[in-house]
Amino acid sequence: MRITVLAGGVGGARFALGLREAAPDADIAIVANVGDDLWLAGVKVCPDLDSLMYALAGVNDTERGWGRASESERVSAELRAYGVGWPWFTLGDLDLGTHLARTALLRDGATLTEATARLSGRWELGATLLPVTDDEVPTHVVTDTGVIHFEEWWVRTRATARAHRFVQHGAERARVSPAALEAIRGADVVLVAPSNPVVSIGTILGIPGVRDAIAAASAPVVGVSPLIGGRAVRGMAATCLEVIGVEPDAVAVAEHYGARSRGGLLDAWLVAEEDASGLDALRRLGIRADARPLLLTPGGPAAQVARDALALALEAPRA
Ligand code: GDP
Ligand code: CA
């Protein structure tokens, strides 16, 4: 079975770990957000691809929630002393190894898809990581005091700088990567990970060609809610939803994605048990739905969440 997942970083990685455990024989492709990517201190940083790669490789820092385990920060301290880079955006030494290797590959002419395959090839990930596009489409945030990169808004201001809107810089000229396109077209099931609906899934869907490919795919499309009981489990997804005028609520997010039968994204939507009261509203929107425990913890519940999403997919073939 070919399973294609649309995913951001940490929420996407937690779900991907569960999926790999739930479907060990499946051919899993992860179409990842690249809107968070940036050039910093001369190297190309891809936060979501790296969160996915480190988590699937089992070398991520599970306590801090990002970066490599057993990390040191000697190079970052030197960069800070030179006043290069962002002092509030730490690049760990092991992590910098990834960015240097990626940058070297890109400078040798590799596409981001090729560079990602080379980096991923070091480990047994059990899934193929595919940047949604090989083009650069940084997410910019329009704030009261100017336009800043998403990572500056997220990490430096902790999403407190008042945001008016998000802009996918360069998206109109970007193209979905051939590998991501094929993964969507050839999938038996398409899953939307419980990732940030705006700056992870929204930015994937904003790449020209992605929505059309999903609409035309023969696979059912099933999403997992990133909101439980009206709040994001971790992170500031609710703030991003507020910026685009969507309630931080499982039903509202599904309505925002839309029913596939009515030109939207979803055939089905898995919500948390806490949100079971929204099932009728979801069905009225034309979206099949089920309510299950949705807290993602490695080694148990995450695999069950993936199994539940797959079960919903298989009972919800395209009309
Ligand atoms: P990022 O790119 O690292 O911000 O990560 P993602 O976009 O992939 O996912 C972030 C979102 O995942 C958070 O804002 C939460 O809404 C969601 N999330 C995190 N942990 C869980 C969990 O345990 N269960 C569910 N259902 N959603 C989660
Ligand atoms: Ca991200």
Side-chain angles (χ1 to χ4, degrees):
M1 179 163 59
R2 291 187 67 186
I3 304 174
T4 296
V5 186
L6 309 187
V10 175
R14 284 171 182 270
F15 181 70
L17 284 173
L19 182 62
R20 186 178 65 178
E21 193 183 328
D25 299 328
D27 181 357
I28 300 172
I30 303 176
V31 174
N33 169 45
V34 295
D36 300 3
D37 295 8
L38 70 162
W39 285 89
L40 198 61
V43 293
K44 169 101 165 174
V45 182
C46 301
D48 286 5
L49 281 167
D50 291 343
S51 291
L52 289 160
M53 181 170 78
Y54 295 157
L56 289 165
V59 298
N60 59 320
D61 186 326
T62 49
E63 263 163 49
R64 199 170 47 169
W66 51 273
R68 293 281 299 266
S70 309
E71 184 61 291
S72 54
E73 294 168 3
R74 297 188 68 195
V75 178
S76 243
E78 285 298 292
L79 289 171
R80 215 165 284 147
Y82 286 120
V84 169
W86 285 338
W88 36 266
F89 195 94
T90 303
L91 298 169
D93 296 333
L94 300 175
D95 196 28
L96 268 165
T98 304
H99 310 321
L100 281 170
R102 174 189 294 122
T103 303
L105 292 164
L106 292 173
R107 291 200 58 164
D108 284 345
T111 61
L112 184 60
T113 300
E114 289 162 351
T116 303
R118 276 286 296 277
L119 300 181
S120 306
R122 176 179 172 191
W123 288 289
E124 285 284 335
L125 299 186
T128 307
L129 297 184
L130 302 173
V132 61
T133 175
D134 288 320
D135 299 318
E136 297 198 347
V137 284
T139 300
H140 289 170
V141 187
V142 181
T143 72
D144 279 341
T145 51
V147 181
I148 56 178
H149 188 281
F150 172 73
E151 289 292 329
E152 182 172 0
W153 181 70
W154 194 249
V155 181
R156 183 177 66 75
T157 85
R158 306 297 303 158
T160 58
R162 205 155 79 85
H164 299 284
R165 61 199 174 92
F166 299 103
V167 178
Q168 284 184 272
H169 186 78
E172 61 292 341
R173 291 184 306 281
R175 271 177 316 151
V176 56
S177 79
L181 190 60
E182 202 286 321
I184 293 167
R185 284 188 176 148
D188 296 306
V189 176
V190 174
L191 298 176
V192 181
S195 288
N196 189 309
V198 186
V199 294
S200 292
I201 304 301
T203 47
I204 292 173
L205 297 172
I207 302 303
V210 173
R211 278 185 191 277
D212 287 349
I214 293 175
S218 55
V221 179
V222 177
V224 178
S225 173
L227 298 164
I228 299 183
R231 39 189 297 272
V233 187
R234 295 170 194 85
M236 301 165 282
T239 313
C240 297
L241 285 166
E242 203 178 296
V243 173
I244 65 161
V246 174
E247 290 288 312
D249 164 82
V251 175
V253 171
E255 190 170 9
H256 169 66
Y257 283 149
R260 200 165 169 213
S261 56
R262 300 174 192 174
L265 176 70
L266 300 172
D267 289 304
W269 185 235
L270 194 61
V271 301
E273 290 172 311
E274 293 85 336
D275 297 310
S277 60
L279 290 176
D280 283 343
L282 289 165
R283 289 174 191 137
R284 279 196 299 276
L285 290 168
I287 298 170
R288 297 190 52 161
D290 204 351
R292 300 276 170 185
L294 283 197
L295 212 50
L296 298 164
T297 43
Q304 191 56 46
V305 172
R307 262 181 231 113
D308 289 337
L310 287 172
L312 193 56
L314 300 177
E315 75 183 48
R318 237 193 131 180

